[in-house]
Amino acid sequence: MESLLIGSFHRPSIPVAAEFSPLKTSSHAIERVLKCKAWKRPKRHYSTSMKLQRQYITQEHVGGSDLSTIAADKKLKGRFLVHASSEHPLESQPSKSPWDSVHDAVDAFYRFSRPHTIIGTALSIISVSLLAVEKFSDFSPLFFTGVLQAIVAALFMNIYIVGLNQLSDIEIDKVNKPYLPLASGEYSVQTGVIVVSSFAILSFWLGWIVGSWPLFWALFISFVLGTAYSINLPLLRWKRFAVVAAMCIFAVRAVIVQIAFYLHIQTYVYRRPAVLSRPLIFATAFMSFFSVVIALFKDIPDIVGDKIFGIQSFTVRLGQERVFWICIGLLEMAYLVAIVVGAASSNTWSKHFTILGHAALALLLWTRAKSVDFSRKAAITSFYMFIWKLFYAEYLLIPLVR
């Protein structure tokens, strides 16, 4: 499997911007480091740093700065400019302590796992599982064990999916997300393959030994769609096609997460018949809107790299601002529907929480959307992460819908 994955990763060359005067000082410092006789660091690290430097310039001149890109660039350059003004050999610098090495490893894996998706997956499973609770006595050790099994297996599969996507997008991420471990060179391709393969195996192993068919099928379908979405093989890499890519995210986030994990608790844990309840139907419908918004919005900050590598996302085809307001419109519609559903509820406390909660989120979304500066990539990226926070907030409200 390792050879198959490595062989499928396309590495096209990318254009870089010319060097500009603002970087003259740091370039001169790097030249002085290269002149050191004791310089023995691998050349690939230097080229990675310079690529990030040039990519930062490119992004500045095509659509605003990216704070995360700047931070990653400074971090990488800082590794090679230590005592660049002195004439002492680089070998004289103290080596990293074990604690620093552990910290760097944890930090790299943290970025590799894409924590905002990890949080979203965990919250969604907990929220949907609570929909199967009918009475207080349902909160049993069996319930908590079933929820934990589902979360761990799903998070393993989540890491496989986001890791495979990074393996397939190394060159694109050098432009769009240079802070990711594979794009920055902190992880080799072989390391990436080992990590994603290990987590896929662990996910299927856990799903199999648990013995819950809803859980196992949720993992299997997520694996198939996640692989087809990213991997660069004939008839695959569906992310190149805007509609198909959106449908993949919709299928996983809107349908599989809601229905499969609910059935895992309802049929496997509680041994009750499969029933699609009113709250479950609401959760599936609402998250259908949210999944489409995430599928569209995630490409808005990445328009530069997607254009270079021919990814025909809706943002590339329609433009950033137009797609942005389409997403805002879809979410506001979803909040309006949620308010109507809440108003129709016969449960008084559920009615109040549903109406007030969704009205507050709708107002917050509209207020924040009007202040976005489309000329700055950092502002668009920040708003994308705000969309994920609204996603988390919705899963806090869903169990209250009755």
Side-chain angles (χ1 to χ4, degrees):
M1 180 175 180
E2 179 179 326
S3 60
L4 173 64
L5 289 174
I6 293 177
S8 67
F9 304 138
H10 184 54
R11 291 178 172 271
S13 59
I14 61 172
V16 294
E19 303 221 7
F20 293 89
S21 57
L23 298 177
K24 185 174 181 180
T25 303
S26 60
S27 299
H28 178 66
I30 293 173
E31 289 176 5
R32 292 183 64 183
V33 172
L34 289 175
K35 290 178 181 179
C36 292
K37 294 181 180 180
W39 177 267
K40 293 183 181 179
R41 296 288 182 106
K43 291 183 179 180
R44 65 183 181 88
H45 294 301
Y46 171 77
S47 61
T48 299
S49 177
M50 291 304 295
K51 281 182 181 178
L52 290 178
Q53 195 177 59
R54 288 170 179 156
Q55 287 156 10
Y56 163 66
I57 300 172
T58 303
Q59 290 174 350
E60 276 292 304
H61 288 267
V62 297
S65 63
D66 183 352
L67 297 180
S68 57
T69 303
I70 299 171
D73 187 24
K74 288 181 177 178
K75 182 179 179 181
L76 286 171
K77 287 190 292 184
R79 297 177 184 177
F80 311 110
L81 296 181
V82 178
H83 296 285
S85 60
S86 70
E87 300 301 326
H88 297 291
L90 291 182
E91 283 83 355
S92 64
Q93 304 310 316
S95 59
K96 284 186 177 180
S97 67
W99 170 250
D100 288 336
S101 299
V102 171
H103 177 272
D104 289 348
V106 171
D107 177 64
F109 181 75
Y110 176 81
R111 285 177 280 120
F112 183 78
S113 67
R114 309 296 279 147
H116 62 282
T117 66
I118 293 289
I119 296 171
T121 298
L123 275 178
S124 63
I125 293 173
I126 294 172
S127 179
V128 171
S129 298
L130 289 172
L131 294 180
V133 174
E134 297 177 355
K135 50 187 181 297
F136 188 78
S137 60
D138 285 342
F139 289 108
S140 62
L142 191 63
F143 169 78
F144 291 109
T145 301
V147 172
L148 183 61
Q149 290 168 339
I151 290 175
V152 174
L155 292 188
F156 286 168
M157 185 56 66
N158 194 104
I159 293 172
Y160 163 78
I161 292 172
V162 298
L164 180 63
N165 188 56
Q166 292 172 66
L167 279 168
S168 303
D169 285 356
I170 293 176
E171 297 300 328
I172 299 177
D173 286 342
K174 287 179 180 178
V175 177
N176 291 335
K177 304 179 184 76
Y179 52 86
L180 295 178
L182 283 163
S184 67
E186 293 169 89
Y187 278 7
S188 66
V189 172
Q190 184 179 13
T191 299
V193 169
I194 292 172
V195 171
V196 299
S197 301
S198 300
F199 276 99
I201 293 170
L202 286 172
S203 179
F204 279 124
W205 171 76
L206 183 56
W208 181 260
I209 65 171
V210 167
S212 168
W213 281 110
L215 174 59
F216 184 83
W217 280 108
L219 299 174
F220 179 75
I221 297 173
S222 299
F223 171 84
V224 171
L225 293 179
T227 302
Y229 177 88
S230 296
I231 199 165
N232 191 21
L233 291 175
L235 303 180
L236 299 180
R237 194 161 172 77
W238 293 350
K239 68 180 297 178
R240 294 175 296 170
F241 313 107
V243 175
V244 181
M247 290 304 296
C248 286
I249 296 174
F250 167 83
V252 174
R253 289 287 178 188
V255 180
I256 294 173
V257 168
Q258 320 308 318
I259 297 177
F261 290 106
Y262 170 83
L263 291 177
H264 166 66
I265 299 297
Q266 179 77 359
T267 64
Y268 172 75
V269 175
Y270 289 144
R271 304 295 179 182
R272 296 169 182 163
V275 177
L276 299 182
S277 63
R278 179 175 177 270
L280 177 64
I281 294 172
F282 166 79
T284 304
F286 191 96
M287 284 305 164
S288 296
F289 281 91
F290 232 121
S291 300
V292 172
V293 168
I294 288 177
L296 295 176
F297 210 104
K298 72 179 185 60
D299 295 323
I300 296 178
D302 297 340
I303 188 171
V304 175
D306 289 349
K307 280 183 176 180
I308 292 174
F309 293 98
I311 304 296
Q312 294 300 308
S313 65
F314 281 110
T315 302
V316 171
R317 294 160 64 180
L318 302 178
Q320 285 181 309
E321 193 165 352
R322 187 174 179 184
V323 174
F324 177 91
W325 287 110
I326 289 174
C327 292
I328 300 303
L330 288 173
L331 276 185
E332 294 292 357
M333 286 174 56
Y335 285 132
L336 179 60
V337 170
I339 291 172
V340 172
V341 170
S345 174
S346 59
N347 189 307
T348 303
W349 64 264
S350 175
K351 177 185 295 188
H352 291 159
F353 275 112
T354 304
I355 293 175
L356 294 176
H358 288 98
L361 293 178
L363 179 61
L364 185 61
L365 171 65
W366 184 255
T367 303
R368 180 76 182 266
K370 291 192 299 181
S371 65
V372 173
D373 181 0
F374 292 98
S375 66
R376 296 177 57 246
K377 180 179 177 180
I380 299 174
T381 302
S382 176
F383 192 86
Y384 173 57
M385 300 313 298
F386 171 72
I387 293 291
W388 275 96
K389 292 174 183 176
L390 293 178
F391 182 81
Y392 306 153
E394 185 58 34
Y395 274 117
L396 297 179
L397 289 174
I398 282 177
L400 304 178
V401 177
R402 299 292 171 177

